[in-house]
Amino acid sequence: MLLLLSSPSSLMQSFPSLKLLCAVQGQGPIFASKEQSTNGCTNQKPKDYILQDSSILHPEKALRRKLVISVLVSAGVLPTLSSYAKTKNINPYNEKRVLQQNRQIQKQNNAPDDFPNFIREGFEVKVIAPDNYVTRDSGLIYLDFEVGKGDCPKDGQQVTFHYVGYNESGRRIDSTYLQGSPAKIRMGNKALVPGFEEGIRDMRPGGKRRIIIPPDLGPPVGPSTFFSSKQFEVFDVELLSIKDCERRTIGFYSDVVCN
């Protein structure tokens, strides 16, 4: 039963035998404790009354309202969090925008034509290159500009080559052309970065190739090395010659001679 309370005196006149809920002047309606009287009236248990004109509800009703509000808030927040987790994947629009940014940076770094693009998402990297690039099972990617002639280098042989090295943004990090002399190294003695040695192992003298080395086949990373983070590296390589080598010993002196 819903009771509209105007004043304790008028209500007492209408219901003389009813124990009433009393109001303290200036503080709004409150529930009085048992055996306590105010203005000559005695309070009944709170659950028997609802005060409509004061916008104060019975504690059980108020608790229900709080629970409903809490459920509504939760229903509004949880879908937002779930949708936020789904934004991890790169959509085509974002990928297109990243590609445009990468190409602008590569242009500023004077990167060569058809330079590959690298789109990062956390620890994953997507390599975007023309269809004529070849990808091996090891993760190495390469493109032959010129195939060359002759035999491929073998372990123990010396290879002489020029190269230009780039980072992911197309910035040149090293060049034997600028140094004025080609590099010389013997195959099979682990003197080269694994991806670089794999990339030139099936080249022929006179051949020119672009090699894209993934981090797993790249150089070691750390304070003692030139590289501070695991990134893809790009090398344009020109294989000049291959020479056979043999060990020569004179007295206590021993060296390797390549002809």
Short mmCIF file of all heavy atoms in Angstrom, two decimals, residues 118 120 123 125 127 138-140 168 193-195 212-221 229-233:
data_model
loop_
_atom_site.label_atom_id
_atom_site.label_comp_id
_atom_site.label_asym_id
_atom_site.label_seq_id
_atom_site.Cartn_x
_atom_site.Cartn_y
_atom_site.Cartn_z
N PHE A 118 57.75 -2.34 -44.87
CA PHE A 118 57.61 -3.15 -43.67
C PHE A 118 56.55 -2.52 -42.78
O PHE A 118 56.68 -1.37 -42.36
CB PHE A 118 58.95 -3.24 -42.93
CG PHE A 118 60.08 -3.73 -43.79
CD1 PHE A 118 60.87 -2.84 -44.52
CD2 PHE A 118 60.36 -5.08 -43.90
CE1 PHE A 118 61.91 -3.27 -45.31
CE2 PHE A 118 61.40 -5.54 -44.70
CZ PHE A 118 62.17 -4.64 -45.40
N ARG A 120 54.64 -2.88 -39.28
CA ARG A 120 54.77 -3.52 -37.97
C ARG A 120 53.46 -3.45 -37.20
O ARG A 120 52.79 -2.44 -37.19
CB ARG A 120 55.88 -2.84 -37.16
CG ARG A 120 57.27 -3.11 -37.70
CD ARG A 120 58.36 -2.58 -36.78
NE ARG A 120 59.66 -3.07 -37.19
CZ ARG A 120 60.18 -4.22 -36.78
NH1 ARG A 120 59.50 -4.95 -35.92
NH2 ARG A 120 61.36 -4.63 -37.20
N PHE A 123 54.95 -7.36 -32.38
CA PHE A 123 56.18 -8.07 -32.75
C PHE A 123 56.10 -8.67 -34.15
O PHE A 123 57.08 -9.25 -34.62
CB PHE A 123 56.47 -9.18 -31.73
CG PHE A 123 56.77 -8.68 -30.35
CD1 PHE A 123 55.81 -8.72 -29.36
CD2 PHE A 123 58.00 -8.12 -30.05
CE1 PHE A 123 56.08 -8.26 -28.08
CE2 PHE A 123 58.28 -7.63 -28.79
CZ PHE A 123 57.32 -7.70 -27.80
N VAL A 125 55.79 -8.46 -38.25
CA VAL A 125 56.16 -7.56 -39.34
C VAL A 125 55.69 -8.17 -40.66
O VAL A 125 55.95 -9.34 -40.94
CB VAL A 125 57.68 -7.32 -39.39
CG1 VAL A 125 58.02 -6.33 -40.51
CG2 VAL A 125 58.20 -6.79 -38.06
N VAL A 127 56.02 -7.93 -44.65
CA VAL A 127 56.87 -7.42 -45.72
C VAL A 127 56.04 -7.31 -47.00
O VAL A 127 55.43 -8.29 -47.44
CB VAL A 127 58.09 -8.33 -45.95
CG1 VAL A 127 58.98 -7.76 -47.06
CG2 VAL A 127 58.88 -8.51 -44.66
N SER A 138 63.32 -20.41 -45.21
CA SER A 138 64.06 -19.84 -44.07
C SER A 138 63.56 -18.45 -43.71
O SER A 138 63.88 -17.94 -42.63
CB SER A 138 65.55 -19.77 -44.40
OG SER A 138 65.79 -18.88 -45.50
N GLY A 139 62.79 -17.82 -44.60
CA GLY A 139 62.33 -16.45 -44.39
C GLY A 139 63.10 -15.44 -45.20
O GLY A 139 62.71 -14.26 -45.25
N LEU A 140 64.20 -15.85 -45.83
CA LEU A 140 64.99 -14.95 -46.67
C LEU A 140 64.20 -14.59 -47.92
O LEU A 140 63.55 -15.44 -48.55
CB LEU A 140 66.31 -15.61 -47.06
CG LEU A 140 67.30 -14.72 -47.81
CD1 LEU A 140 67.98 -13.77 -46.84
CD2 LEU A 140 68.33 -15.56 -48.55
N GLU A 168 65.08 -0.63 -42.53
CA GLU A 168 63.69 -0.78 -42.98
C GLU A 168 63.13 0.49 -43.61
O GLU A 168 62.23 0.43 -44.45
CB GLU A 168 62.80 -1.21 -41.81
CG GLU A 168 63.07 -2.63 -41.34
CD GLU A 168 62.12 -3.03 -40.21
OE1 GLU A 168 61.26 -2.21 -39.84
OE2 GLU A 168 62.24 -4.16 -39.72
N VAL A 193 76.96 -12.54 -41.71
CA VAL A 193 75.62 -12.68 -41.15
C VAL A 193 74.95 -13.87 -41.84
O VAL A 193 75.04 -14.01 -43.07
CB VAL A 193 74.82 -11.38 -41.36
CG1 VAL A 193 73.35 -11.58 -41.01
CG2 VAL A 193 75.43 -10.24 -40.57
N PRO A 194 74.28 -14.77 -41.10
CA PRO A 194 73.71 -15.98 -41.71
C PRO A 194 72.84 -15.69 -42.94
O PRO A 194 72.96 -16.39 -43.96
CB PRO A 194 72.87 -16.58 -40.58
CG PRO A 194 73.56 -16.11 -39.33
CD PRO A 194 74.08 -14.74 -39.64
N GLY A 195 71.99 -14.68 -42.87
CA GLY A 195 71.13 -14.38 -44.00
C GLY A 195 71.90 -13.87 -45.20
O GLY A 195 71.54 -14.16 -46.36
N ILE A 212 66.72 -9.47 -48.74
CA ILE A 212 65.98 -8.98 -47.57
C ILE A 212 66.16 -9.99 -46.46
O ILE A 212 65.67 -11.13 -46.54
CB ILE A 212 64.49 -8.78 -47.89
CG1 ILE A 212 64.33 -7.83 -49.08
CG2 ILE A 212 63.74 -8.24 -46.68
CD1 ILE A 212 62.89 -7.68 -49.55
N ILE A 213 66.87 -9.61 -45.42
CA ILE A 213 67.23 -10.53 -44.34
C ILE A 213 66.30 -10.33 -43.15
O ILE A 213 66.24 -9.23 -42.59
CB ILE A 213 68.70 -10.31 -43.91
CG1 ILE A 213 69.63 -10.50 -45.11
CG2 ILE A 213 69.07 -11.26 -42.79
CD1 ILE A 213 71.07 -10.21 -44.78
N PRO A 214 65.56 -11.36 -42.73
CA PRO A 214 64.70 -11.24 -41.55
C PRO A 214 65.53 -11.21 -40.28
O PRO A 214 66.70 -11.61 -40.28
CB PRO A 214 63.82 -12.49 -41.63
CG PRO A 214 64.66 -13.48 -42.37
CD PRO A 214 65.47 -12.70 -43.36
N PRO A 215 64.96 -10.75 -39.17
CA PRO A 215 65.72 -10.66 -37.91
C PRO A 215 66.31 -12.00 -37.47
O PRO A 215 67.41 -12.04 -36.91
CB PRO A 215 64.68 -10.16 -36.91
CG PRO A 215 63.70 -9.41 -37.74
CD PRO A 215 63.62 -10.14 -39.04
N ASP A 216 65.60 -13.12 -37.73
CA ASP A 216 66.10 -14.43 -37.30
C ASP A 216 67.38 -14.81 -38.01
O ASP A 216 68.15 -15.64 -37.50
CB ASP A 216 65.03 -15.50 -37.56
CG ASP A 216 63.81 -15.32 -36.68
OD1 ASP A 216 63.93 -14.60 -35.66
OD2 ASP A 216 62.74 -15.86 -37.02
N LEU A 217 67.62 -14.26 -39.19
CA LEU A 217 68.85 -14.55 -39.94
C LEU A 217 69.82 -13.37 -39.92
O LEU A 217 70.81 -13.37 -40.65
CB LEU A 217 68.51 -14.91 -41.40
CG LEU A 217 67.62 -16.13 -41.61
CD1 LEU A 217 67.30 -16.31 -43.09
CD2 LEU A 217 68.26 -17.38 -41.04
N GLY A 218 69.52 -12.38 -39.10
CA GLY A 218 70.34 -11.18 -39.04
C GLY A 218 71.46 -11.27 -38.01
O GLY A 218 71.71 -12.32 -37.42
N PRO A 219 72.12 -10.17 -37.77
CA PRO A 219 73.24 -10.14 -36.83
C PRO A 219 72.75 -10.21 -35.40
O PRO A 219 71.58 -9.96 -35.12
CB PRO A 219 73.89 -8.78 -37.12
CG PRO A 219 72.76 -7.93 -37.59
CD PRO A 219 71.87 -8.85 -38.37
N PRO A 220 73.62 -10.56 -34.47
CA PRO A 220 73.23 -10.54 -33.06
C PRO A 220 72.93 -9.12 -32.61
O PRO A 220 73.46 -8.15 -33.14
CB PRO A 220 74.47 -11.11 -32.34
CG PRO A 220 75.60 -10.87 -33.29
CD PRO A 220 75.03 -10.97 -34.66
N VAL A 221 72.03 -9.02 -31.63
CA VAL A 221 71.59 -7.71 -31.14
C VAL A 221 72.04 -7.55 -29.70
O VAL A 221 71.92 -8.46 -28.89
CB VAL A 221 70.05 -7.59 -31.23
CG1 VAL A 221 69.58 -6.30 -30.58
CG2 VAL A 221 69.61 -7.63 -32.69
N SER A 229 68.33 -3.22 -32.24
CA SER A 229 67.03 -3.87 -32.25
C SER A 229 66.95 -4.82 -33.44
O SER A 229 67.68 -4.67 -34.42
CB SER A 229 65.90 -2.84 -32.34
OG SER A 229 66.00 -2.10 -33.55
N LYS A 230 66.07 -5.80 -33.32
CA LYS A 230 65.90 -6.78 -34.38
C LYS A 230 65.01 -6.21 -35.48
O LYS A 230 63.82 -6.02 -35.27
CB LYS A 230 65.30 -8.07 -33.80
CG LYS A 230 66.30 -8.91 -33.01
CD LYS A 230 65.69 -10.22 -32.59
CE LYS A 230 66.72 -11.14 -31.96
NZ LYS A 230 67.78 -11.53 -32.93
N GLN A 231 65.59 -5.94 -36.62
CA GLN A 231 64.85 -5.41 -37.76
C GLN A 231 65.29 -6.14 -39.02
O GLN A 231 66.31 -6.83 -39.07
CB GLN A 231 65.11 -3.91 -37.92
CG GLN A 231 64.53 -3.06 -36.83
CD GLN A 231 64.57 -1.59 -37.19
OE1 GLN A 231 65.09 -1.20 -38.24
NE2 GLN A 231 64.00 -0.76 -36.34
N PHE A 232 64.46 -5.98 -40.04
CA PHE A 232 64.84 -6.48 -41.35
C PHE A 232 65.96 -5.62 -41.91
O PHE A 232 66.03 -4.42 -41.64
CB PHE A 232 63.64 -6.46 -42.30
CG PHE A 232 62.69 -7.60 -42.11
CD1 PHE A 232 61.81 -7.62 -41.05
CD2 PHE A 232 62.67 -8.67 -43.00
CE1 PHE A 232 60.92 -8.66 -40.87
CE2 PHE A 232 61.78 -9.72 -42.83
CZ PHE A 232 60.92 -9.72 -41.76
N GLU A 233 66.83 -6.24 -42.70
CA GLU A 233 67.90 -5.51 -43.39
C GLU A 233 67.83 -5.82 -44.88
O GLU A 233 67.48 -6.95 -45.27
CB GLU A 233 69.26 -5.90 -42.83
CG GLU A 233 69.44 -5.53 -41.37
CD GLU A 233 70.72 -6.11 -40.80
OE1 GLU A 233 71.18 -7.15 -41.30
OE2 GLU A 233 71.28 -5.51 -39.87
#
